[in-house]
Amino acid sequence: MSGRRKTAVLTEKTMEALIRLCGVSAVVFVFGIFFFVFREGYDLLPRLDYREFFTSIEWYPTSQNRVRYGILALLAGTFSVTVLAMLLAVPFGLGAAIYVSEFCPPKRRETLKVIIELLAAIPSVVWGFIGLTVMNPLIIYLFRVPIGLNVLNGGIILALMSVPIIVSIAEDALKAVPDTYREAALALGATRWQTVYRVLLPAARNGLLAAVLLGVGRAIGETMAVLMATGHAVHIPTSVFDSVRTLTATVAAEMGEAPVHSDHYKVLFVIGILLFTLTFLVNLIADLTVRGIRNK
Amino acid sequence: MAEEPANPSAPAVVFCGFSVWFGEKQALQDIQLSACRGQRLALIGAAGSGKSTLLRSLNRSNDMIPGYRYQGSILLDDRDIHDPRIDVAALRRRVGLVGTPAAVLPGSIFDNVALALKMAGEQSKQRIFEKVQNGLMKVQIWDRVKDRLQESAAGLTTSMILQLSLARTLVLEPEVLLLDEPGAGLDHQVVTMLEDLLEDLKETHTILMATNDLKQAARASDRTAFFQCGSLVECGPTRLLFTRPQSEMTCNFITERF
């Protein structure tokens, strides 16, 4: 009897410890990633010419005469593709979420949700392939431009990749709004659109904001698809038909060729630190905004 | 089913052989009932007897429920509310429903009431403010909330939420007022306020109130209808129904619980 109780207590303790470990591991992994990225790049940090790093568009990491690490064009590339992707994905994603959650007949809803989740499961290299073989000739044909691998192509591909994330999280947020809100609004003589616009969107705004920001996170962090779809040219774009190169694509494309522990290798890790900081800032701003809304 | 006593004033709301199903389950069975302006009609009956369904049918709040089906008709001022040409949103503004539990909408106390007006198309900020103030005064919470109109409504007590949602309905100036179990779990004072208010409003409004509280029905209604298992058993002047019920079922129900 006491032996069995001992086992029960032991099981309880073990399970508790395991579950705690799982919870703590998330924090450990984040710090771990930051630590290793930082360790590879920190050597270069004091020696780096920051003015050149942030303001020069000259990215010549393997030049024979003078290596130059200017990432302004890469930042502009990431920024332009992300902004275009969000301009396309946010209205489409939120619109689709509102349709699926509020206007769609239940049977069609299930079908649509399965399809949207399927869209989220497509590997990014497949998206890149679509950018390369479908979007590229299409853009050349439609807009009569010499090359279809550009900001527009990358933006559309990234938008297509972010939409499923935005839709499924935004839909969850809308579904989480209690039905009493809908009934109260409708009983007051609200039309369906008024119910959505005046009651559901304000009630779900935290979740919707989270959906949008996760979409932004996906767009900033995506590598493979933009590497294939944006043309990979170090260049500050002046129109959506210019080819660009993003920070992530640069790291992915050059990491394999940079000699380990060379300055080139290290500067790629510095870019990693920068990306890490960027996503951290996006999350921080999101968090503060959400808190601000809550306290209001 | 008891015969309706002839009423001198024309009925504003008439249910003609009205039945409701949710999927396979029948919730209301061939209801013949009318309600007039100047009278408060109380609906009594056990839980699940169809009182709420009847109220919700009247402003077509059941339309959203999957599997909802109806037969027969409901006339509001001689017009069928299921007429496809009728504007459902406008109908719901004419037929105000205050449900339980009363819901708060997102946003401030002021927004909760103002939203109803904005959705009805009112644009003048001055008029919105006046109407909101007026509505909150009617339900007697103006003095308690006037200094915190911009605070979130989520922190109010159950009683105040009911008052707020009543104000929200009243600012739209409905002709018919539907109350689903008002008074459940509320302060005594608020219930008294509510019943006094209904007394005042009955001259100009048609009032239907579903209640589980038989004392409330006896106190605050002119006519009472007793429902059982989705059927209307008996309907008559409140005093008569409570003192000399015609049906044995009504008698059992009110003597056991009254």
Side-chain angles (χ1 to χ4, degrees):
Chain A
M1 185 69 187
S2 109
R4 196 188 286 172
R5 245 185 78 190
K6 239 179 214 166
T7 330
V9 170
L10 202 68
T11 321
E12 181 74 20
K13 284 252 158 78
T14 323
M15 286 316 288
E16 208 183 300
L18 272 176
I19 287 169
R20 185 168 300 160
L21 193 72
C22 294
V24 172
S25 68
V27 182
V28 172
F29 286 136
V30 171
F31 276 105
I33 291 167
F34 187 71
F35 174 74
F36 286 109
V37 172
F38 192 79
R39 196 186 63 172
E40 298 297 319
Y42 88 103
D43 201 27
L44 189 68
L45 286 176
R47 288 187 286 125
L48 196 64
D49 179 354
Y50 286 100
R51 231 187 100 184
E52 185 191 68
F53 189 63
F54 284 113
T55 60
S56 163
I57 59 164
E58 296 187 326
W59 176 259
Y60 296 121
T62 50
S63 166
Q64 295 289 333
N65 306 327
R66 188 170 81 84
V67 288
R68 274 152 288 174
Y69 303 124
I71 61 158
L72 186 64
L74 306 180
L75 271 172
T78 291
F79 188 73
S80 59
V81 177
T82 306
V83 167
L84 181 68
M86 285 302 110
L87 285 180
L88 296 171
V90 170
F92 268 102
L94 293 185
I98 290 169
Y99 175 73
V100 171
S101 144
E102 304 301 323
F103 291 91
C104 189
K107 238 184 206 158
R108 195 183 304 161
R109 173 182 310 151
E110 291 314 308
T111 324
L112 274 179
K113 281 178 78 168
V114 169
I115 294 174
I116 288 165
E117 270 148 34
L118 201 70
L119 210 58
I122 297 176
S124 65
V125 68
V126 174
W127 283 115
F129 182 71
I130 291 171
L132 213 55
T133 58
V134 179
M135 296 296 297
N136 181 26
L138 198 67
I139 289 173
I140 294 174
Y141 174 75
L142 283 178
F143 299 101
R144 314 215 173 279
V145 284
I147 185 160
L149 299 172
N150 48 30
V151 176
L152 183 65
N153 193 335
I156 291 172
I157 292 292
L158 274 189
L160 286 169
M161 294 175 75
S162 324
V163 159
I165 295 178
I166 296 179
V167 175
S168 59
I169 294 171
E171 204 247 350
D172 285 347
L174 286 169
K175 271 277 152 281
V177 176
D179 275 341
T180 51
Y181 282 31
R182 291 181 183 83
E183 285 186 6
L186 289 168
L188 287 174
T191 58
R192 283 169 100 183
W193 169 241
Q194 280 177 328
T195 309
V196 169
Y197 176 69
R198 297 272 193 187
V199 177
L200 298 182
L201 293 187
R205 61 190 162 187
N206 287 354
L208 298 179
L209 191 64
V212 169
L213 286 164
L214 279 168
V216 172
R218 166 106 211 212
I220 292 182
E222 176 48 41
T223 308
M224 209 56 224
V226 287
L227 178 66
M228 291 164 80
T230 55
H232 215 57
V234 184
H235 173 64
I236 291 187
T238 51
S239 88
V240 290
F241 300 114
D242 283 354
S243 294
V244 291
R245 193 204 270 202
T246 64
L247 292 166
T248 48
T250 306
V251 176
E254 296 180 8
M255 190 54 89
E257 289 163 26
V260 178
H261 299 311
S262 68
D263 277 0
H264 183 194
Y265 174 86
K266 282 171 188 161
V267 83
L268 293 178
F269 275 96
V270 174
I271 290 178
I273 296 171
L274 184 71
L275 277 168
F276 203 94
T277 319
L278 274 179
T279 38
F280 177 74
L281 280 178
V282 170
N283 281 339
L284 190 71
I285 291 167
D287 207 41
L288 291 177
T289 326
V290 170
R291 265 167 224 251
I293 289 170
R294 226 178 263 155
N295 291 341
K296 199 172 143 192
Chain B
M1 201 173 309
E3 274 295 301
E4 283 283 314
N7 202 298
S9 67
V13 176
V14 184
F15 292 86
C16 311
F18 190 71
S19 303
V20 166
W21 291 263
F22 293 112
E24 292 303 305
K25 197 173 167 286
Q26 186 158 17
L28 282 178
Q29 211 170 352
D30 196 24
I31 302 293
Q32 302 282 352
L33 182 69
S34 59
C36 307
R37 221 160 261 127
Q39 281 188 334
R40 294 158 302 171
L41 174 65
L43 312 175
I44 59 170
S49 58
K51 301 172 302 210
S52 299
T53 308
L54 187 86
L55 288 188
R56 291 167 53 90
S57 303
L58 193 45
N59 83 343
R60 292 186 54 180
S61 285
N62 287 328
D63 289 15
M64 292 90 84
I65 298 174
Y68 168 73
R69 241 165 2 103
Y70 71 92
Q71 225 172 47
S73 60
I74 304 174
L75 303 179
L76 174 63
D77 284 338
D78 296 327
R79 194 147 174 230
D80 190 343
I81 63 161
H82 293 101
D83 188 330
R85 282 167 301 175
I86 215 158
D87 175 359
V88 181
L91 172 77
R92 291 189 182 129
R93 286 194 288 271
R94 284 177 68 193
V95 183
L97 170 70
V98 180
T100 34
V104 262
L105 298 175
S108 67
I109 295 172
F110 182 82
D111 288 342
N112 254 271
V113 185
L115 201 61
L117 293 164
K118 283 184 195 158
M119 291 193 298
E122 178 64 75
Q123 297 192 331
S124 148
K125 281 195 173 160
Q126 177 68 24
R127 240 173 315 175
I128 288 178
F129 184 81
E130 278 166 13
K131 285 185 176 175
V132 170
Q133 182 180 16
N134 205 330
L136 290 172
M137 278 170 146
K138 259 190 206 157
V139 297
Q140 299 177 9
I141 50 168
W142 172 253
D143 288 333
R144 273 187 289 165
V145 298
K146 67 180 177 198
D147 297 324
R148 47 186 184 126
L149 287 174
Q150 294 311 324
E151 282 177 33
S152 164
L156 295 176
T157 63
T158 324
S159 296
M160 287 173 93
I161 290 172
L162 178 91
Q163 286 166 294
L164 193 67
S165 71
L166 191 60
R168 200 163 61 197
T169 307
L170 288 177
V171 291
L172 293 172
E173 296 161 10
E175 298 155 41
V176 181
L177 199 55
L178 310 174
L179 298 131
D180 195 357
E181 312 244 347
L186 295 187
D187 299 346
H188 177 64
Q189 283 170 319
V190 178
V191 174
T192 312
M193 179 283 300
L194 180 76
E195 287 169 8
D196 290 349
L197 183 66
L198 293 183
E199 177 80 50
D200 292 344
L201 289 173
K202 78 172 191 183
E203 290 314 317
T204 44
H205 294 70
T206 308
I207 297 170
L208 282 82
M209 170 175 75
T211 181
N212 265 335
D213 181 355
L214 288 178
K215 287 183 189 145
Q216 185 176 43
R219 232 175 15 231
S221 74
D222 302 294
R223 282 167 73 231
T224 301
F226 171 58
F227 285 81
Q228 192 157 34
C229 303
S231 298
L232 175 65
V233 178
E234 180 173 352
C235 177
T238 300
R239 182 165 301 206
L240 214 60
L241 187 129
F242 276 96
T243 50
R244 271 179 291 151
Q246 297 186 348
S247 150
E248 202 173 322
M249 283 191 274
T250 319
C251 188
N252 288 340
F253 187 74
I254 58 180
T255 47
E256 262 171 52
R257 310 235 333 240
F258 191 47

